[in-house]
Amino acid sequence: MKKILILSAFAIITFSCADKKAKTPGVDGRKVFKQNCVVCHGLDGKLGANGSKDLGVSKMSLDERKAIIKNGKGAMVGLGTLLKPDEIEAVAQYTLKLK
Ligand code: HEC
């Protein structure tokens, strides 16, 4: 029993360290996208639920994307109160890479 406890404590410590490491180089845009955007846009940006556009073919610039993510447009709710500016930046960058 003791052994199991020690092992699980070790696992928790290792896990939280790994998590911290992943966050150091800045925000993971893919993670933000997965948490906030896939319900309408889908994992690859092509789902198109609720009338959303295919993000892979969007010609919008980074700044236009950031503005829409922050303020919303049509059926898309603005996420400016939910996401931090660096998260908006990271997720906008991520949508630029979708094909
Ligand atoms: C509630 C559903 C919904 C969610 C959640 C959502 N979107 Fe949207 N998104 C839409 C809809 C609908 C449009 C089309 C708006 C219009 O043109 O009227 C859109 C448009 C966009 C556009 C503009 C595409 C173009 O070329 O017109 C971008 C970029 C975008 N969304 C990114 C995101 C990102 C990034 C997230 C997550 C942070 C997100 N969206 C979350 C529904 C959603």
Side-chain angles (χ1 to χ4, degrees):
M1 189 56 189
K2 238 184 193 166
K3 227 181 196 171
I4 294 171
L5 275 178
I6 291 165
L7 272 179
S8 47
F10 181 71
I12 289 166
I13 290 164
T14 325
F15 181 75
S16 40
C17 287
D19 197 38
K20 256 182 217 140
K21 229 183 233 165
K23 275 180 193 153
T24 10
V27 185
D28 183 355
R30 187 182 156 82
K31 206 168 148 194
V32 179
F33 190 79
K34 270 188 169 172
Q35 284 167 346
N36 301 283
C37 322
V38 288
V39 276
C40 297
H41 292 289
L43 258 186
D44 54 3
K46 295 188 189 307
L47 183 64
N50 293 316
S52 54
K53 309 240 165 75
D54 181 342
L55 296 180
V57 300
S58 175
K59 295 273 177 290
M60 277 193 187
S61 70
L62 183 64
D63 281 339
E64 287 171 311
R65 285 168 200 243
K66 284 195 319 205
I68 284 184
I69 294 163
K70 200 171 158 204
N71 307 315
K73 188 186 173 200
M76 178 173 162
V77 284
L79 293 154
T81 51
L82 199 74
L83 300 175
K84 295 190 208 87
D86 55 347
E87 289 175 323
I88 293 176
E89 172 78 32
V91 79
Q93 297 264 10
Y94 179 73
T95 64
L96 278 175
K97 284 185 245 157
L98 293 169
K99 290 242 161 58

